[in-house]
Amino acid sequence: MGLGNNGSKVLYSLKLPSRANVATIAVHLRQSEITSADPANHSASDRPVIYVDANNVINVVSRKAVDPVAHTANFLKEWSQEGFIVVPVCDGPRPQSKQQTNKSRAVRQKAKHKSVILRQDLRRISRQLKDGGVDAATRKRLEDEQAELCKSIKSAETQSVNVVPPNFPMLLEEELNKISAHDKQKGGGSVAPVVTAMFEADALIKGAFMNKKFQLVMSNDADYPADLGDKCIAIKEFGTKNLVISSTSK
């Protein structure tokens, strides 16, 4: 079911000023794992690994991009330049009967209808303001309503768009190849080939964590650290301005 808005009740968060700070933490975690597993294999060349919930990331960072898939590919490459091995994990094909798929489609359709209705109200108010003949108090009220309607329309139109294309894993792999993201980057990292889950990415990512395949997971979904416990650290805010990691442990 997910934690929804209750994630903050079970998680601790830490704001970080840069991706380099995230990399420092990840390198420490990686080296600690190597040392505890086999001290003879301790090597500074072993790069920390981030598993990325790619369907989550494209919605968070690329929704407004002209080409969301290409924008996501460049975003992943930028993180690899901090020295990470970045592993993008995409949702696989889902059965058409799956309730969540139908629910998401219904939400988008409802948002589209809401946008149309709000635009009708906005045109009515705009005409009233243009025609004049209203007192100062009424004009102020109409202007306030106009501003609120503009915000609501923008929100509804955003929700009505499904930014993830049906063949997202294939398109993302193509974009990563175009920009040589799989090659070793200046920071020593690289983007791994796209991994496609059988159904949803989260199950595959959680299994990889249990097998100690990575140090950090990138997703704003609070279920990852909540389900996986104290040793799981998620990068839950990963835009250019805000970087926040979260865990169930301080």
Side-chain angles (χ1 to χ4, degrees):
M1 293 295 290
L3 292 173
N5 295 326
N6 294 314
S8 60
K9 297 178 181 178
V10 298
L11 300 178
Y12 297 98
S13 297
L14 176 65
K15 291 183 180 180
L16 296 170
S18 71
R19 292 173 181 172
N21 294 111
V22 181
T24 299
I25 292 172
V27 167
H28 174 74
L29 292 171
R30 175 62 176 155
Q31 296 305 320
S32 297
E33 288 178 3
I34 294 171
T35 305
S36 60
D38 186 352
N41 290 331
H42 189 296
S43 171
S45 66
D46 287 289
R47 309 312 307 164
V49 180
I50 299 179
Y51 265 51
V52 177
D53 187 335
N55 287 65
N56 180 275
V57 167
I58 191 174
N59 276 288
V60 173
V61 303
S62 305
R63 175 171 288 277
K64 297 180 181 179
V66 175
D67 186 337
V69 179
H71 186 270
T72 301
N74 277 285
F75 175 80
L76 298 176
K77 182 177 178 179
E78 289 172 3
W79 273 90
S80 73
Q81 291 170 347
E82 297 294 339
F84 291 105
I85 303 300
V86 178
V87 182
V89 183
C90 295
D91 289 347
R94 304 180 185 187
Q96 288 300 310
S97 61
K98 188 177 179 184
Q99 283 300 107
Q100 187 60 40
T101 301
N102 294 331
K103 182 180 178 181
S104 297
R105 188 180 298 114
V107 168
R108 290 196 299 272
Q109 192 64 32
K110 184 178 179 181
K112 188 180 293 184
H113 291 162
K114 181 181 178 181
S115 174
V116 172
I117 294 169
L118 291 173
R119 283 198 175 278
Q120 292 173 350
D121 290 339
L122 181 60
R123 284 194 290 270
R124 174 182 56 79
I125 290 174
S126 297
R127 281 197 301 269
Q128 285 182 270
L129 289 169
K130 183 178 179 180
D131 294 342
V134 296
D135 57 39
T138 302
R139 172 170 286 278
K140 177 66 168 60
R141 177 178 57 79
L142 290 172
E143 288 175 345
D144 289 343
E145 288 182 21
Q146 186 182 47
E148 285 301 316
L149 279 170
C150 286
K151 291 180 183 178
S152 298
I153 289 169
K154 184 177 180 181
S155 175
E157 289 180 341
T158 298
Q159 293 175 33
S160 70
V161 176
N162 182 12
V163 73
V164 184
N167 52 344
F168 177 43
M170 182 186 72
L171 293 176
L172 181 58
E173 183 61 38
E174 289 178 356
E175 292 297 332
L176 290 169
N177 278 312
K178 284 181 187 177
I179 59 176
S180 302
H182 296 319
D183 297 344
K184 188 175 181 180
Q185 303 300 311
K186 62 183 181 182
S190 63
V191 182
V194 174
V195 177
T196 304
M198 184 174 293
F199 293 111
E200 294 188 341
D202 57 351
L204 189 152
I205 292 173
K206 289 174 183 178
F209 177 80
M210 299 302 291
N211 288 314
K212 299 183 178 180
K213 294 290 183 68
F214 63 86
Q215 286 68 56
L216 299 173
V217 57
M218 182 180 289
S219 173
N220 65 3
D221 187 346
D223 287 0
Y224 285 111
D227 290 350
L228 296 172
D230 291 351
K231 291 186 178 181
C232 178
I233 299 177
I235 309 171
K236 74 169 187 175
E237 292 184 31
F238 35 81
T240 54
K241 294 182 179 179
N242 299 312
L243 289 172
V244 178
I245 60 174
S246 65
S247 173
T248 54
S249 177
K250 277 190 177 181

